[in-house]
Amino acid sequence: MTMKKYEMLIGGAPAAPASCEWFESVNPFTAAPWAMVPRGSKADVDRAVAAARSAFYCGSWRSMTASARGALLRRLADLIAADAARLAEIETRDNGKLLAEMRGQLNYIPQWFYYFGGLADKIEGRVIPIDKPGVFNFTREEPLGVIAAITPWNSPLLLAAWKLAPALAAGNTVVWKPSEFSSVSALEFGELFEKAGFPPGVVNIVTGFGNEVGEPLVTHPDVAKIAFTGGDRTGEYVYQQAARGLKHVTLELGGKSANIVFDDADLDAAVNGVISGIFAATGQTCIAGSRALIHRPIHEKFVDRLLALARTARMGNPLELTTQVGPITTRPQYEKVLDYLRIAKEEGAVCQLGGSPATRPECGSGWFIEPTIFTGVRPDMRIANEEVFGPVLSVIPFADEEEAIRIANGTVYGLAAGVWTTSMRRALVMSERLEAGTVWVNTYRAVSYMSPFGGYKRSGIGRESGMDAISEYLQTKSVWIDISGNTPNPFVMR
Ligand code: TXE
């Protein structure tokens, strides 16, 4: 079978890479290549940034009314909705996540473009009742310029939508670098911008590797802001590079989120929530509830229930709608998860379930790891502190609220947390004291285009989604107009 050879999107037209090289995109279920992705380089980044810059300063985008911009975003949303099933299948082939999950994401992605499309013409400045007589002072909210959007492989289009929708609504232009492991859906998605009627160069897509495309993009002098989702180590490096150019950044990084179950919880709901928090998406989500903190009085019985439910998980082909746990997306990630299984065992954690590659016949030649549950995990172990990004749950007992908070807040991360309790007081106290950008009470893994999302501590900087996100792509200008008609003393501050 010949594989489709893709092109990038630069200045509104398909673009072959300057390197004339392509690399294979590999299907994690079959471990076989299925598409050819352009290997971009600095030369392509330079072309894409130039196109984005020219679209920002010279093209029709600049002069377009905010309402027309919003209408374009909404038209794009309609096109995504019409194409959702096809794009979802492409994502599953590219990253091995369940088709059911990717369909859910693709059907939901249009909402980001409807929401931010609606917001485009509600970006307003203020008139300041300034303390100085004879002066009129007002503010304007202006776009930043060229935005570099850098996205990972786990939810390729969803995480791109979180950046593109507010960036475009605010009037910026974009160069998007998808993950080298999941670029195909991005390149297919790119075709929709032209169909929706976006002027050429407003959105450009350059594919390739982090060091060959990501880094030249981050350090490009004409890029105003970097909106990045990925690992915290890479995020830290990107932040350092961006600092040299004093660029704006939004960083959405990893997590080691605690799912905390109290003895007064609805245990049916809590078992379900803890299992979905770690095994949905094969644990490959930044918000994975990878630490289950269980109140001592119910620890034993709760672990039994977790094991019973986890044992029923159906693994296999992610394209089958009945599959519940799919493969690990990339070979390096698979090896990383296996490493952590070894580390956890060496540290003395007790493997109650899984702990090895899955050899079930339905897993074929994919990179599968059995859903794994460790008990006897101490908060100081590496398995309790480092992001595994796989189907691996660490269970840690706690005695009371104080200890739960201490353990939950005891890592370098702070992306999300779950609390399971029927006590209103406990829900409020915990949601206040947990150091996390999102706290879910009696639910887990809920996100919306309307609600701000982001991390505390090493989980990130800035917020995506909701009203907070638009200000991440704007800068405020203060305009002063003298209306006094007087000529003031030039030697004193006005
Ligand atoms: O991500 P990277 P990787 C975590 C997870 C995972 C680990 C590594 O723990 O095991 O990160 O995953 C681009 N300049 N998360 O290596 O490297 C890269 O090409 C600019 C959490 O796949 O962070 C890709 O497009 N860009 C996470 C993007 O950065 C660079 C999602 C993310 O890649 C670059 C994914 C550079 N120097 C992994 N180097 C989450 N928060 O959801 C790489 N990139």
Side-chain angles (χ1 to χ4, degrees):
M1 191 185 89
T2 53
M3 285 185 280
K4 181 163 175 186
K5 209 169 164 183
Y6 281 87
E7 299 207 308
M8 301 183 290
L9 176 68
I10 298 179
S19 65
C20 292
E21 286 180 44
W22 275 257
F23 60 94
E24 293 170 339
S25 194
V26 178
N27 177 333
F29 177 60
T30 59
W34 74 287
M36 299 298 290
V37 176
R39 182 168 181 172
S41 60
K42 182 173 181 308
D44 304 302
V45 168
D46 289 347
R47 275 197 299 155
V49 174
R53 186 181 148 82
S54 133
F56 183 75
Y57 286 107
C58 324
S60 53
W61 183 246
R62 179 109 186 155
S63 53
M64 191 179 284
T65 64
S67 299
R69 219 164 55 222
L72 275 185
L73 283 162
R74 293 194 294 276
R75 205 170 305 143
L76 178 69
D78 289 341
L79 293 174
I80 301 167
D83 215 9
R86 191 181 69 91
L87 290 169
E89 198 169 317
I90 290 171
E91 296 233 288
T92 294
R93 282 188 206 288
D94 234 6
N95 75 359
K97 279 177 74 173
L98 302 185
L99 183 59
E101 163 108 0
M102 298 332 279
R103 274 193 190 160
Q105 288 192 7
L106 260 299
N107 286 328
Y108 199 27
I109 286 172
Q111 298 306 326
W112 269 265
F113 292 95
Y114 289 128
Y115 178 85
F116 286 101
L119 210 51
D121 58 5
K122 292 155 199 79
I123 297 167
E124 297 170 348
R126 288 168 296 149
V127 174
I128 312 292
I130 203 79
D131 59 323
K132 303 184 191 307
V135 176
F136 184 65
N137 178 225
F138 66 97
T139 63
R140 295 171 50 86
E141 295 297 320
E142 299 186 342
L144 300 171
V146 178
I147 308 296
I150 301 180
T151 51
W153 40 263
N154 55 335
S155 293
L157 293 181
L158 182 73
L159 297 174
W162 290 13
K163 297 164 181 54
L164 265 55
L168 296 171
N172 300 281
T173 58
V174 176
V175 180
W176 170 19
K177 186 208 119 32
S179 166
E180 55 272 39
F181 297 110
S182 59
S183 301
V184 179
S185 61
L187 294 169
E188 293 274 355
F189 189 87
E191 292 176 10
L192 303 182
F193 290 97
E194 198 202 340
K195 280 193 196 146
F198 280 82
V202 170
V203 175
N204 307 272
I205 304 174
V206 182
T207 52
F209 299 97
N211 58 339
E212 294 178 359
V213 173
E215 188 151 350
L217 191 53
V218 169
T219 52
H220 197 294
D222 290 335
V223 166
K225 174 188 168 112
I226 292 98
F228 172 90
T229 300
D232 64 320
R233 294 257 164 77
T234 310
E236 179 183 329
Y237 182 71
V238 163
Y239 197 19
Q240 285 169 355
Q241 299 297 314
R244 300 161 83 100
L246 293 175
K247 294 168 197 271
H248 299 252
V249 293
T250 306
L251 302 171
E252 201 267 275
L253 310 175
K256 193 73 195 176
S257 300
N259 222 337
I260 307 165
V261 185
F262 285 98
D263 61 355
D264 64 7
D266 170 344
L267 293 190
D268 290 337
V271 168
N272 214 53
V274 171
I275 291 289
S276 88
I278 186 63
F279 297 126
T282 318
Q284 300 179 106
T285 86
C286 50
I287 50 181
S290 51
R291 292 183 298 157
L293 272 50
I294 311 299
H295 212 168
R296 279 199 190 275
I298 55 163
H299 181 269
E300 211 166 312
K301 122 172 132 177
F302 195 81
V303 168
D304 286 346
R305 294 190 60 177
L306 283 179
L307 291 169
L309 186 54
R311 279 195 190 102
T312 66
R314 280 187 301 273
M315 304 185 82
N317 187 347
L319 285 170
E320 305 275 345
L321 290 176
T322 49
T323 300
Q324 294 170 321
V325 177
I328 302 291
T329 298
T330 74
R331 177 93 212 174
Q333 186 61 32
Y334 173 74
E335 278 158 12
K336 177 179 163 184
V337 179
L338 289 181
D339 252 6
Y340 273 109
L341 296 180
R342 183 185 48 75
I343 290 166
K345 289 172 193 166
E346 283 171 9
E347 286 180 312
V350 183
C351 185
Q352 300 280 1
L353 187 73
S356 60
T359 50
R360 309 180 192 194
E362 58 273 32
C363 294
S365 44
W367 302 309
F368 282 87
I369 292 191
E370 285 289 339
T372 297
I373 297 182
F374 285 110
T375 55
V377 175
R378 288 191 321 270
D380 61 312
M381 290 179 175
R382 283 182 67 189
I383 195 68
N385 286 280
E386 298 174 21
E387 185 177 49
V388 176
F389 225 61
V392 182
L393 179 68
S394 295
V395 180
I396 306 173
F398 67 87
D400 52 22
E401 282 172 22
E402 276 309 315
E403 193 181 18
I405 287 164
R406 199 164 57 244
I407 298 172
N409 290 345
T411 77
V412 295
Y413 295 109
L415 193 59
V419 180
W420 300 85
T421 178
T422 48
S423 155
M424 180 64 83
R425 181 201 62 78
R426 212 165 230 172
L428 288 171
V429 168
M430 294 299 287
S431 61
E432 184 184 328
R433 295 192 57 197
L434 285 165
E435 292 169 356
T438 295
V439 176
W440 290 293
V441 178
N442 297 331
T443 182
Y444 202 83
R445 238 182 141 234
V447 293
S448 165
Y449 52 94
M450 300 171 112
S451 187
F453 181 88
Y456 280 29
K457 304 194 282 184
R458 267 187 88 86
S459 290
I461 292 174
R463 291 294 175 269
E464 301 195 287
S465 300
M467 298 288 279
D468 297 47
I470 197 85
S471 52
E472 303 274 351
Y473 294 93
L474 292 165
Q475 51 195 340
T476 305
K477 180 181 281 172
S478 177
V479 182
W480 296 70
I481 302 177
D482 186 286
I483 51 171
S484 71
N486 300 330
T487 307
N489 179 350
F491 301 105
V492 292
M493 193 176 167
R494 280 169 212 188

